[in-house]
Amino acid sequence: MSTDSAAGAESAGGEPGEGAGTRPGRRFEPDLRSMTRINLHPIASPMPLGFFTVAIASVMTGCMQLGVFEAADRTAVALCVLPAFALQLLVSVLAFGARDVIAATLMGTFAGSWLAYALVMATGAAGGHRVLGVFNLAFLCFGALMTAVTRPKRALWLVLVVSLPRWTATGLAGLTGAEWLTYTAGALGILVALVATYAAFALMLEDMRSEEVLPIGRSGPAHTAVEGDLAVQLRNLERQAGVRRTL
């Protein structure tokens, strides 16, 4: 009986097992969940490169603000800072691939800031100092928001914490032209470079030895990501960007 019914269904243009109310030619795909595979590709951490780039660029801009370089040297300083854009953009792309949206967003925004600084300084655009002043104050708002979500990632958080007063001083110096604010911003830039260098070196040692050598201070999900097992990392993977259908 079942064979005759299947034959009848096929002769009517349908699929075996389809009911009488099914539209002709319509096919039902099987449940693909049991056949789905999600491949993960481990990569080296891009964060040491990102932090070292912050450190070097901060030294160059800080020295400019401290008067180590002459005003005529600003184009040379801008050209030295320009590669920071490409390097931090690369770090951002790799961080997105590593499923770290906080690090990716932060490094991508840093990349844009270095590009803006380099272009304004290299071209000597009119009103550049005032425009960069507003730009730095806008960046200050962004940094404050990022500080609120990066606390478990203490390396990122600490770099942001010491960067906030620098962006404040740089922004106000650009708007007011106060020389003491420029010097303050330069000194804070050297401090940012020292903190970023420590973070980069600590993360590089950790990646090389597969254990924490210098204290980084991770907590919460950031600590679990390093100390937890693979099952924790794969939790809710099917709902993450790149796997789900929409962002």
Side-chain angles (χ1 to χ4, degrees):
M1 179 177 177
S2 59
T3 304
D4 294 337
S5 299
E10 291 179 353
S11 64
E15 294 292 330
E18 289 183 345
T22 304
R23 290 179 296 177
R26 184 177 180 182
R27 298 176 60 88
F28 287 92
E29 296 293 338
D31 190 348
L32 300 179
R33 287 176 294 181
S34 62
M35 296 183 284
T36 300
R37 298 292 183 269
I38 299 174
N39 298 317
L40 302 179
H41 301 281
I43 62 172
S45 174
M47 296 310 295
L49 173 61
F51 284 133
F52 275 131
T53 302
V54 170
I56 295 171
S58 295
V59 167
M60 299 304 298
T61 56
C63 287
M64 185 71 191
Q65 292 171 316
L66 288 172
V68 176
F69 304 122
E70 301 293 335
D73 299 333
R74 65 183 184 183
T75 301
V77 173
L79 293 176
C80 287
V81 171
L82 186 58
F85 158 71
L87 292 175
Q88 294 214 270
L89 182 61
L90 172 63
V91 173
S92 177
V93 172
L94 292 175
F96 275 119
R99 301 183 296 148
D100 192 332
V101 66
I102 293 177
T105 300
L106 186 62
M107 290 296 163
T109 309
F110 271 145
S113 71
W114 296 128
L115 178 62
Y117 174 87
L119 291 178
V120 170
M121 295 298 289
T123 60
H129 288 292
R130 292 192 302 274
V131 172
L132 286 178
V134 175
F135 180 82
N136 276 275
L137 291 178
F139 214 78
L140 172 66
C141 298
F142 161 77
L145 293 175
M146 290 296 294
T147 303
V149 298
T150 56
R151 192 174 183 85
K153 295 172 168 289
R154 291 300 172 86
L156 279 172
W157 181 79
L158 190 56
V159 171
L160 278 172
V161 165
V162 296
S163 296
L164 293 179
R166 195 212 177 179
W167 293 327
T168 303
T170 303
L172 294 177
L175 290 177
T176 64
E179 189 172 334
W180 71 272
L181 282 173
T182 302
Y183 285 131
T184 300
L188 290 171
I190 302 301
L191 178 61
V192 171
L194 292 174
V195 174
T197 299
Y198 173 83
F201 188 63
L203 290 173
M204 183 176 293
L205 284 178
E206 180 184 72
D207 198 56
M208 290 172 60
R209 301 187 184 182
S210 300
E211 62 180 0
E212 186 177 287
V213 180
L214 296 175
I216 299 178
R218 290 188 182 92
S219 62
H223 177 76
T224 304
V226 175
E227 302 295 336
D229 56 21
L230 184 60
V232 175
Q233 301 304 304
L234 300 181
R235 186 179 299 164
N236 296 326
L237 182 63
E238 68 276 9
R239 297 182 180 87
Q240 295 189 6
V243 179
R244 64 177 186 257
R245 183 180 294 274
T246 65
L247 297 177

